Every structure is written in C-alpha cells, then in structure tokens.
Amino acid sequence: MSDPILSVSGLRSGYDAGDVLREVSLSLAPTEIVGVIGRNGAGKSTLMRTLIGLLKSRGGRIHFDGAELTGLPAEERARKGLGYVPQGRFIFPDLTVHENLRTGRFIGRALDFELIYATFPVLKERRRQIAGTLSGGQQEMLAIARALIAGPKLLLLDEPSEGVQPSIVQEIGEALLTLNRERGLSVLIVEQNLDLMQHVAQRAYALDKGGITAELGREQIADEALLTEYLSV
C-alpha cells in the first residue's frame, strides 16, 4: 500500500477562546476523495484552515507528500501542491474571470488554463466577465478553478455546495470525479450536501466537538439515515 499523501496526527488548533480541534488524526491516500462530515460548529472549517496554514496549529503534526508542513506558512504549503477553496468562495469580485485565475501565478507554479476551461467551459465563455456578476454557482466554479489552475496534488474543499443550485452542484461533483480519475487529484471535502458526499467520497471522517468520532466506509456513506445522524444538530 502506498504512503499517504496527507497524514495528520494529534492536531490541535483554535482561536483566542481556546482549542477547537482536539487531537485530530486522519490520513488520505494518493488519488483518494475523502469527506469530512459533522454538525455546524464541529470544527470542520477550522480543520481546513489549519491544514492550509491560515490557522497556526497548537500541537500535532501535518505531513504532506513526504514533507512536514507543520509550522510552514500558507503560501509555502500552496507551493508544495496543496490547494484550498474556503467556505464562501472569496473570489476577487472586481476582477474578470481570467484575472481571478491569473492570481494563481503568485504561488510560482505554471498555470493550466487549458485544463480549467475544459473542466468548466462556462468560465471560458465568461472569461472577460467581472467575477462579481457571476451566479453563485459560477463563482464557486471559479473559486475551485483558481485553486486547481496551478496543478495541486491535493485539494481542500470547504462546503462547495453552499448557496449553489443543484445542477451546478452535480456538475462540480462530476468535475471532481473526472479530475480524480484522469489527473490523480486527491480531495479532502467538507460537505453537508448528502447527495454530493455520497456521489464523490470513497470514505469519510465524522467530526464532532473538535475530534474524530468515526471513520465511514463507502457502504456507510451510502446509508442516508446514518449520515443524517452525524449531521443533525
């Protein structure tokens, strides 16, 4: 069995009020799509922000693609091949679609416009359009595309379905599966949309009160009643 592309052990992090993540350990194999599920406030976004380096870890270790990331700033993690799409998208609304995509050059990796426009054709059609005038779903596509354009090995994806119409959620799901199958992209996805999680994830971790409470296999992910149990308030 190949070494994991991401290995997290004993991770702790949080904010001024105290720790949110408590001794979180998880791993991701190369080319895997793994979900993270849990109630609101369970620590899912805190986990993603800590993995990318926007929040400093207070304990534990993060290894990615054979290198230790613990202590590295976010830009260094991005240069090593970690992509991140935050909850709420955070595109540059006053720039065009194409200009948003070009911001990927700041991490110093080659930009693959051909891949992006093949994956999300609507972005090619609207490449001269001001990003803030796109629909919510198109803005989510742009946020994902901006993270993908520099060719990350692992994509951290936080709630991509939030505020997005179902047809575009389905399109995003298909794009992730295609990139996983054809490009070997690994994905760690936080998601409360059961349909999307069941469609793309090969397994999932359940997070509650800042700790991993269960690891779910493919059959368990297919059990809607079980997933709902982990997501319910």
Side-chain angles (χ1 to χ4, degrees):
M1 188 173 180
S2 59
D3 292 334
I5 190 169
L6 177 70
S7 178
V8 178
S9 59
L11 188 64
R12 292 191 300 108
S13 75
Y15 306 91
D16 291 342
D19 285 353
V20 174
L21 298 183
R22 300 176 178 88
E23 303 296 327
V24 168
S25 297
L26 57 83
S27 65
L28 202 82
T31 75
E32 245 192 328
I33 300 180
V34 174
V36 178
I37 62 173
R39 301 171 175 86
N40 290 332
K44 303 184 299 296
S45 291
T46 300
L47 171 63
M48 301 298 254
R49 288 171 57 81
T50 306
L51 292 177
I52 194 60
L54 295 176
L55 272 179
K56 187 176 181 180
S57 59
R58 296 172 174 175
R61 304 179 74 178
I62 303 169
H63 285 89
F64 170 67
D65 199 27
E68 182 157 359
L69 297 188
T70 316
L72 291 183
E75 60 271 20
E76 285 298 320
R77 300 184 193 204
R79 290 190 184 102
K80 289 182 178 296
L82 204 57
Y84 173 58
V85 183
Q87 183 179 16
R89 297 182 273 275
F90 293 101
I91 61 167
F92 296 101
D94 297 326
L95 300 182
T96 66
V97 167
H98 189 76
E99 288 168 340
N100 265 272
L101 293 173
R102 279 180 54 81
T103 62
R105 72 186 187 277
F106 292 116
I107 66 170
R109 296 164 67 96
L111 305 185
D112 192 344
F113 283 95
E114 184 178 347
L115 171 65
I116 293 307
Y117 289 147
T119 303
F120 298 117
V122 68
L123 298 182
K124 183 175 184 179
E125 296 168 12
R126 298 177 180 270
R127 62 188 179 276
R128 295 186 179 87
Q129 185 170 331
I130 298 299
T133 66
L134 297 173
S135 72
Q138 291 165 350
Q139 289 184 25
E140 185 65 41
M141 287 181 174
L142 177 57
I144 295 171
R146 192 177 62 188
L148 290 173
I149 196 166
K153 297 175 182 177
L154 170 61
L155 182 66
L156 305 175
L157 193 51
D158 195 354
E159 298 280 9
S161 75
E162 185 178 54
V164 177
Q165 66 191 67
S167 61
I168 293 186
V169 172
Q170 185 176 5
E171 194 171 339
I172 288 171
E174 291 300 328
L176 293 175
L177 289 173
T178 298
L179 290 166
N180 171 259
R181 182 177 60 252
E182 297 182 359
R183 300 281 179 143
L185 178 69
S186 300
V187 182
L188 185 65
I189 178 172
V190 165
E191 186 53 72
Q192 299 209 54
N193 182 306
L194 296 184
D195 289 339
L196 181 59
M197 183 63 72
Q198 290 172 331
H199 188 52
V200 303
Q202 297 157 13
R203 59 188 181 91
Y205 290 97
L207 190 65
D208 188 41
K209 297 179 181 177
I212 300 293
T213 58
E215 183 177 346
L216 310 179
R218 193 78 178 107
E219 289 186 4
Q220 292 167 300
I221 293 172
D223 186 338
E224 189 162 325
L226 180 63
L227 283 191
T228 302
E229 203 174 298
Y230 284 112
L231 293 171
S232 62
V233 177

